[in-house]
């Protein structure tokens, strides 16, 4: 069966179907949505998809059945039309269906048909769909059955204009149904998502309410034995095991701190007692002072690590210049014959709200690294308005080192065979997170080799605040 565009007799203007536009390309975007929104969208898409599929199949089945029935009727009637014509060729045969229009063209009139109805003239035998617009601009549609013999051509047209209007009404009704069922699907999805997500929301609210509690309460008794209840039981089990781990960790840290502080206290007392003797020679006094500084560094480190394990800030005030000078004195005593100058620059007076132990550990690691990796030259500790810088003349810093320097266990490319486990700067980073400080390590920008480590305290000095 062919489909063409022609005029309804009498002759009328035809209309070309407009070319379809290629669909525009949309760049796909990805969004992170809440679970409730995903459930609602799932219902909406399912309802809209099923309704659209049902509407499409309904319209397709209607068109298919209607077209098949009409074509069967036209095939039977054109044969009957031809049979009645041959019974009495002098008159136009009567049609059994009122909606049909019949026409017989004899051989002498073939050329006249070519001029009047060129579309009909070219049509082969069969059933054809004809659509167009009449002289008033109204759309029309009809099916045309064609039977051609050497002497006569038979044309039988069946008016489909009313069927076309009915099809348009049906499509409008199907579209309205699609909109209605889509809205209904959205409402059902919203209601279902609220019912489904209510226990999950309650579980999240109870978890937030237990925040900060050292001994969280059980969640499972508040929920039925369904999937959310199983999730609550799993969270209870995880919370119990996590609490046990934290408790063991705290006990271990407290025990280690106590056991280490005891021998350090003995060392400290013995050193102070020895330093009080008036008959000490200078070499012995220097060694005892070195032991005293090492004991103080160990005590500061133990205190800082204990605070880090508890995630607690220590109380106290620290004079940055005084702590920096003590660190430089300590490292000067350990230089030996290394050609390295250690000096302090800047105006003193910066006092921060943090214990000296934490400041000594953070700044001491920066100064220690500068001293360790600078074979010759100088290490300068520069006091700033709200921080401190450690500048060295060492081999510098690579991009890989700058990106991974504060990772636990990472040792730079210039570490070589030097001692150390690569956790010093990791401790500095953790202390900065605890106290709200900021640490940066970057190559020098003045054309010289070396590294600049900046420790910013992020607040004005206490003297200025007062």
């Amino acid at each position: 069966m062919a489909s063409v565009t022609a005029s309804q007799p009498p002759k009328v203007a035809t209309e070309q179907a407009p070319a379809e536009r290629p669909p525009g390309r949309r760049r796909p975007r990805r969004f992170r949505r809440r679970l409730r929104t995903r459930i609602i969208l799932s219902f909406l898409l399912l309802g809209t998809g099923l309704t659209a599929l049902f509407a499409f199949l309904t319209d397709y089945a209607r068109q298919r059945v209607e077209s098949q029935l009409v074509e069967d009727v036209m095939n039977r009637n054109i044969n009957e039309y031809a049979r009645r014509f041959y019974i009495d060729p002098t008159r136009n045969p009567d049609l059994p269906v009122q909606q049909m229009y019949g026409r017989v063209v004899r051989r002498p009139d073939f050329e006249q048909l070519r001029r009047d109805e060129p579309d009909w003239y070219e049509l082969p035998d069969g059933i054809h769909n004809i659509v167009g617009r009449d002289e008033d601009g109204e759309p029309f549609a009809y099916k045309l059955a064609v039977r051609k013999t050497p002497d006569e051509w038979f044309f039988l047209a069946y008016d489909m204009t009313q069927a076309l209007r009915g099809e348009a009404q049906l499509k409008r009704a199907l579209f309205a149904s699609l909109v209605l069922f889509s809205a209904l699907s959205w409402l059902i999805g919203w209601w279902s998502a609220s019912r489904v997500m209510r226990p999950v929301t309650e579980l999240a609210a109870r978890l937030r309410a237990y925040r900060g509690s050292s001994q969280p309460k059980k969640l499972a008794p508040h929920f039925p034995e369904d999937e959310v209840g199983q999730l609550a039981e799993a969270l209870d089990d995880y919370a119990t095991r996590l609490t046990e781990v934290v408790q063991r960790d705290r006990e271990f840290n407290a025990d280690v701190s106590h056991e280490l502080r005891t021998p350090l206290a003995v060392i400290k007392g013995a050193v102070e007692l020895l330093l009080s003797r008036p008959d000490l020679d200078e070499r012995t006094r220097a060694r005892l002072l070195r032991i005293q500084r090492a004991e103080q560094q160990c005590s500061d480190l133990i205190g800082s690590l204990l605070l880090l394990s508890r995630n607690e800030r220590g109380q106290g005030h620290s004079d940055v210049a005084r702590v920096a000078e003590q660190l430089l004195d300590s490292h000067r005593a350990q230089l030996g014959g290394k050609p390295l100058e250690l000096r302090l620059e800047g105006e003193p007076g910066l006092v921060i709200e943090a214990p000296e132990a934490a400041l000594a550990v953070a700044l001491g690691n920066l100064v220690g690294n500068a001293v360790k990796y600078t074979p010759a030259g100088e290490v300068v500790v520069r006091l700033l308005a709200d921080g401190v810088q450690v500048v060295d003349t060492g081999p510098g810093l690579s991009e890989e080192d700058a990106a991974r320097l504060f990772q636990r266990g990472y040792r730079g490319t210039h570490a070589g065979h030097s001692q150390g486990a690569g956790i010093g700067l990791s401790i500095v980073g953790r202390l900065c997170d605890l106290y709200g400080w900021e640490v940066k390590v970057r190559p020098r920008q003045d054309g010289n080799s070396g590294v600049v480590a900046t420790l910013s305290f992020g607040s004005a000095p206490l003297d200025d605040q007062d």
Side-chain angles (χ1 to χ4, degrees), residues 103-363:
R103 181 178 178 182
V104 180
V105 181
R106 294 177 172 85
R107 178 186 290 274
D109 298 326
F110 285 171
E111 290 301 321
Q112 182 67 29
L113 178 66
R114 181 197 296 271
R115 292 190 296 270
D116 295 341
E117 299 289 346
D119 294 329
W120 286 25
Y121 183 87
E122 299 293 339
L123 292 176
D125 288 356
I127 308 295
H128 307 277
N129 292 322
I130 311 298
V131 294
R133 291 185 180 271
D134 58 21
E135 295 176 344
D136 298 329
E138 297 294 330
F140 68 84
Y142 61 90
K143 286 183 178 292
L144 182 66
V146 179
R147 292 289 186 275
K148 293 183 177 180
T149 64
D151 296 322
E152 294 87 18
W153 290 357
F154 298 93
F155 297 95
L156 190 62
Y158 184 84
D159 188 8
M160 298 292 294
T161 303
Q162 293 297 329
L164 188 64
R165 294 172 182 170
E167 179 183 354
Q169 293 178 355
L170 177 62
K171 288 183 177 180
R172 287 194 293 269
L174 291 176
F175 180 76
S177 301
L178 176 62
V179 175
L180 176 63
F181 279 97
S182 297
L184 184 61
S185 300
W186 182 85
L187 290 175
I188 295 175
W190 178 82
W191 179 80
S192 301
S194 300
R195 292 289 303 271
V196 170
M197 294 303 300
R198 186 178 296 116
V200 179
T201 304
E202 182 182 355
L203 176 62
R206 290 185 177 275
L207 282 173
R208 285 193 295 268
Y210 296 158
R211 183 179 299 172
S213 176
S214 59
Q215 190 65 35
K217 299 178 182 179
K218 294 293 184 180
L219 298 170
H222 300 283
F223 298 93
E225 295 183 359
D226 53 8
E227 288 78 4
V228 179
Q230 295 177 2
L231 178 60
E233 290 180 359
L235 289 173
D236 288 339
D237 179 65
Y238 180 75
T240 300
R241 290 186 286 111
L242 186 62
T243 302
E244 293 175 354
V245 171
V246 172
Q247 185 64 29
R248 287 196 301 268
D249 184 66
R250 288 181 175 178
E251 293 175 355
F252 173 79
N253 291 331
D255 294 342
V256 169
S257 175
H258 177 269
E259 294 300 324
L260 289 177
R261 289 178 188 273
T262 300
L264 288 176
V266 173
I267 294 173
K268 180 178 180 180
V271 169
E272 290 178 351
L273 197 65
L274 290 173
L275 287 174
S276 63
R277 295 180 59 178
D279 56 342
L280 285 177
D281 58 89
E282 290 302 322
R283 176 176 293 183
T284 304
R285 181 176 297 274
R287 291 177 178 175
L288 289 175
L289 290 174
R290 183 174 179 181
I291 294 173
Q292 189 180 47
R293 286 192 295 267
E295 181 273 330
Q296 184 62 42
Q297 291 177 357
C298 289
S299 298
D300 293 343
L301 182 59
I302 291 171
S304 299
L305 293 177
L306 187 61
L307 291 175
L308 285 176
S309 66
R310 296 175 178 175
N311 199 27
E312 298 176 357
R313 290 188 181 186
Q315 302 298 322
H317 296 160
S318 301
D319 187 336
V320 178
R322 186 166 64 87
V323 174
E325 188 61 46
Q326 291 175 355
L327 293 172
L328 291 178
D329 289 340
S330 175
H331 285 285
R332 287 191 187 101
Q334 302 175 23
L335 287 177
K338 191 174 184 179
L340 188 62
E341 179 186 0
L342 308 181
R343 72 174 190 271
L344 181 66
E345 291 183 353
E347 295 294 330
L350 177 59
V351 179
I352 62 173
E353 188 176 356
E356 288 191 358
L359 177 60
V361 171
L363 186 56

